[in-house]
Amino acid sequence: MEKTYYLPAEWHPQSYVQLTWPHEETDWAYMLDEVEACFYDIAREIAARQPLLLVAPEFPKILEDAPFRHNISFISCPTNDTWARDHGFISLLDRHADPLLLDFCFNGWGMKFAACKDNLINAHLFKSGVLNGDYINCRNFVLEGGSIESDGNGTLLTTSTCLLAPNRNDTMSRGEIEQYLKERFNLQQVLWLDYGYLAGDDTDSHIDTLARLCPDNTIVYVQCTDKEDEHYGALCSMEEQLKTFRTLNGEPYRLFPLPMPDAIYDKSGERLPATYANFLTMNQAVLYPTYRQPDKDAQAAYILAKAFPEREIVGIDCCALIRQHGSLHCVTMQYPESIKTNR
């Protein structure tokens, strides 16, 4: 039987965006008020435009009187943390059948952190009836949503540093992993980015921290122009490799460079992984992280407006999120159209 399913691009029309809310039992406990204020801002911008799927042990008090509460679907569920991008379903659409909800194993980015509860969130969501689609058990393969980018037409962009990292699928070779991805997602090509990293990143260089596929054969990526910055060499090598990538038609990609935020450090002096590449594409808007750097924040907005000329570009202060080594895209997961039920 011919395969007709595909991995939609993030800019494909969406049903929901998921947030997994922080609480006192997460690593956010020491700064819960601050991070909840950031999550509130993200929730507000999502729910003002499309349905929000909210996961948490209890409904957050900060949202009880929110004017957008009517656009929230809430599922009560035990959670370890908040990184919905990496523990959420990866959705496939089928041109002739119901959507597929792929449940991969999430093991805390190579067993760095506890993930036993987060790894069961998808099962809770499916049993709740809030999602329409066929459940597909892929839990014999470790894969995080932040590690892959799809253009919806058969091309996947990823990083070798992450997918070949220890404690994920290290019994498999690069060729075997590529073949698995091609078969699982019905792909025609996998583009492996071999360079680039961000100091303070726990994910082994997720692609959504470095380079993102956009409409019209475009890639936006983090560019470092400061020769004194520790990232300069690796990000220049990444830029050169991106220039060699080709579409399925053999054409080079349009490359739009995003600025590198000025270095941000935590109280212990550790550099935090601030990046403008960690944006979320929605139906009518692009939500992107800002870092209280007006010039750089504005430059990033300008580049994203070039990549998404028909969408509103909305900045959200994410200085709180990077203190746990992630940003805006990391805490969200979109579900394409036809996955929302009438529940």
Side-chain angles (χ1 to χ4, degrees), residues 83 85-86 109 145-149 157 159 161-162 193 195-212 220-223 231 235 238 258-261 273-279 289 291 322 325-330:
W83 308 105
R85 178 63 45 181
D86 297 335
W109 310 285
S147 70
I148 56 173
E149 279 280 299
L157 177 63
T159 65
T161 310
C162 177
L193 199 56
Y195 306 96
Y197 77 97
L198 292 180
D201 170 44
D202 291 327
T203 68
D204 302 305
S205 298
H206 271 183
I207 192 67
D208 70 353
T209 68
L210 297 169
R212 305 287 304 281
V220 299
Y221 67 97
V222 178
Q223 182 184 64
H231 300 94
L235 291 179
M238 182 184 82
L258 290 164
M260 183 85 178
T275 170
Y276 294 113
N278 209 245
F279 59 86
Y291 301 107
I322 59 171
H325 311 284
S327 200
L328 196 155
H329 193 249
C330 301

Side-chain angles (χ1 to χ4, degrees), residues 62-83:
I62 193 174
L63 295 178
E64 287 179 352
D65 297 319
F68 50 84
R69 182 172 177 172
H70 66 283
N71 215 18
I72 298 175
S73 295
F74 172 66
I75 300 299
S76 176
C77 178
T79 63
N80 296 107
D81 216 325
T82 56
W83 308 105

Side-chain angles (χ1 to χ4, degrees), residues 135-153:
Y135 178 92
I136 307 296
N137 187 339
C138 303
R139 293 162 69 86
N140 61 343
F141 191 84
V142 177
L143 187 70
E144 302 113 32
S147 70
I148 56 173
E149 279 280 299
S150 172
D151 68 352
N153 293 312

Side-chain angles (χ1 to χ4, degrees), residues 50-338:
Q50 61 194 74
L52 171 64
L53 178 60
L54 180 63
V55 175
E58 298 179 355
F59 192 84
K61 292 182 179 179
I62 193 174
L63 295 178
E64 287 179 352
D65 297 319
F68 50 84
R69 182 172 177 172
H70 66 283
N71 215 18
I72 298 175
S73 295
F74 172 66
I75 300 299
S76 176
C77 178
T79 63
N80 296 107
D81 216 325
T82 56
W83 308 105
R85 178 63 45 181
D86 297 335
H87 60 241
F89 277 116
I90 296 176
S91 309
L92 301 186
L93 297 182
D94 193 301
R95 294 178 177 88
H96 305 296
D98 288 338
L100 305 181
L101 302 170
L102 274 56
D103 187 10
F104 290 94
C105 178
F106 173 59
N107 72 350
W109 310 285
M111 297 189 288
K112 297 183 182 75
F113 302 95
C116 52
K117 297 175 183 177
D118 289 346
N119 202 35
L120 297 176
I121 289 174
N122 290 339
H124 280 275
L125 287 176
F126 187 74
K127 290 176 182 177
S128 76
V130 75
L131 300 176
N132 172 56
D134 294 333
Y135 178 92
I136 307 296
N137 187 339
C138 303
R139 293 162 69 86
N140 61 343
F141 191 84
V142 177
L143 187 70
E144 302 113 32
S147 70
I148 56 173
E149 279 280 299
S150 172
D151 68 352
N153 293 312
T155 293
L156 190 84
L157 177 63
T158 190
T159 65
S160 56
T161 310
C162 177
L163 263 63
L164 304 181
N167 298 324
R168 283 185 171 89
N169 302 294
D170 46 356
T171 62
M172 300 173 70
S173 69
R174 176 167 169 157
E176 289 170 334
I177 290 175
E178 177 167 330
Q179 186 60 31
Y180 175 88
L181 294 172
K182 284 184 173 180
E183 292 180 358
R184 182 72 278 176
F185 295 130
N186 199 16
L187 302 171
Q188 297 186 57
Q189 70 169 344
V190 177
L191 300 175
W192 292 85
L193 199 56
D194 299 311
Y195 306 96
Y197 77 97
L198 292 180
D201 170 44
D202 291 327
T203 68
D204 302 305
S205 298
H206 271 183
I207 192 67
D208 70 353
T209 68
L210 297 169
R212 305 287 304 281
L213 290 171
C214 302
D216 301 319
N217 295 327
T218 300
I219 298 176
V220 299
Y221 67 97
V222 178
Q223 182 184 64
C224 182
T225 58
D226 180 2
K227 294 182 179 180
E228 303 302 315
D229 192 296
E230 66 174 283
H231 300 94
Y232 180 76
L235 291 179
C236 284
S237 295
M238 182 184 82
E239 185 175 41
E240 290 305 308
Q241 188 179 19
L242 287 171
K243 293 177 183 177
T244 71
F245 286 168
R246 294 294 181 267
T247 70
L248 290 171
N249 292 328
E251 299 295 327
Y253 285 88
R254 299 192 307 162
L255 300 179
F256 292 170
L258 290 164
M260 183 85 178
D262 297 335
I264 303 174
Y265 299 91
D266 64 14
K267 293 180 180 179
S268 66
E270 180 185 6
R271 188 164 179 176
L272 299 174
T275 170
Y276 294 113
N278 209 245
F279 59 86
L280 170 69
T281 309
M282 294 172 46
N283 288 336
Q284 288 91 32
V286 173
L287 308 187
Y288 82 103
T290 62
Y291 301 107
R292 303 174 193 171
Q293 300 177 19
D295 290 344
K296 294 286 184 71
D297 294 346
Q299 290 174 37
Y302 173 77
I303 295 299
L304 293 174
K306 286 179 60 180
F308 296 93
E310 297 180 359
R311 285 174 168 83
E312 181 184 10
I313 310 300
V314 180
I316 298 176
D317 185 333
C318 289
C319 287
L321 294 185
I322 59 171
R323 289 170 63 182
Q324 281 293 321
H325 311 284
S327 200
L328 196 155
H329 193 249
C330 301
V331 299
T332 61
M333 174 54 85
Q334 77 286 342
Y335 292 94
E337 64 179 351
S338 76

